[in-house]
Amino acid sequence: MSEVSIIGLDIAKHVFHAHGVDVSGHVLLRKKISRAKLLPFFAAQPRCQVVLEACGGAHHWARELLKLGHDVRLIAPAYVKPFVKRQKNDAADAEAICEAAQRPSMRFVPVKTEEQQAAAMVFRGRDLLVRQRTQISNALRGHMTEYGWIAPKGLAHLEKLAALLADPLAVPQGVRSVCMLLLDSLAMLDRQIAALDKEIVRRSREDALARRLMTIPGIGPITATAILALAPPSGTFAKGRDFAAWVGLTPRQHSTGGKQKLGSISKMGERTLRRLLIIGSSAVVLQASKRGAPKGSWLEQMMARKPRMLVTVALANKTARIVWALMMKNEDYTAPVAAAA
């Protein structure tokens, strides 16, 4: 009797579905499993390949199944969706995961350690606090507009509104009390974000690779430590373009009939890294526009003939490739020598 070779596991909060096949693809197992019985079930199974979608909780279950001796793989949900037949349900999802895992060209997501996920949480938490700070500042600005007081965009300009609220006669007392609570919330968020910034800077100083990445123009402590926490090992990619494509900084293709048509960037992959790389590149382009780019450099040539935003994204793509090269070669960044005129 043949044994199960691959098990597709659809995970959820309480109920899991497993779909197992042998080496020939014949179905040998279809089972609905409760959360409490999941690990005992796999502990009793012969060692095989277990495949999950890379969704919430997948890395935790992958680590637990690895402890049991199974070969665990994670697949991006977008690569599983084409294999779902007809109606979508948990059993169909498990079967689709199993089908997708059998494709020889399938791409898998590396399983993250607890330390990697903990490092990534620093950036997720900081992003959440920054969004909340922006929401509260916009709400405060909007409320004060209703009473004839306006302030330009930016957190620095909120001091004008704070000074107005200190005057009891500026706005009605009911409005003033609510706005003061919003100001207190902003102050608390500022302290929390500053604490996370200190933690990020500390980690960047202690890690040799992070210090090496910070030698690249446009990459500071936040971007360097984010790359180490969120990006898979550099050996996962064959070349720098693959890493830039994973970040989502390569053009989207609509090519057919031998005619190449490139559109805007694909925005696939890790959105946090993409945003940080574009922000860093925008700072480099801003300084170059004010002080001038190095003579004969790639940046000078691009700024002379392309729109500023296009140059910023192109520079972010170039920076992503440099990041991959530095991680692969374990070298510091060396600025290219401009061609002689």
Side-chain angles (χ1 to χ4, degrees), residues 41 43-44 57 69 90 98 101 107 119 136 145 147 173 181 195 198 214-215 227 233 250 293 297 313 325:
F41 168 78
D90 293 344
C98 194
R107 300 174 183 175
I136 292 176
T145 301
Y147 291 90
Q173 179 58 31
L181 286 176
K198 289 182 180 179
M214 285 190 289
T215 61
I227 291 171
T250 51
S297 65
V313 176

Side-chain angles (χ1 to χ4, degrees), residues 20 22 46 54 65 68 75 77 132 134 141 208 234 250 329 339-340:
D22 60 14
L65 294 172
L68 298 177
I75 303 180
Q132 291 177 344
T134 302
R141 190 179 289 106
S234 56
T250 51
K329 299 178 181 179

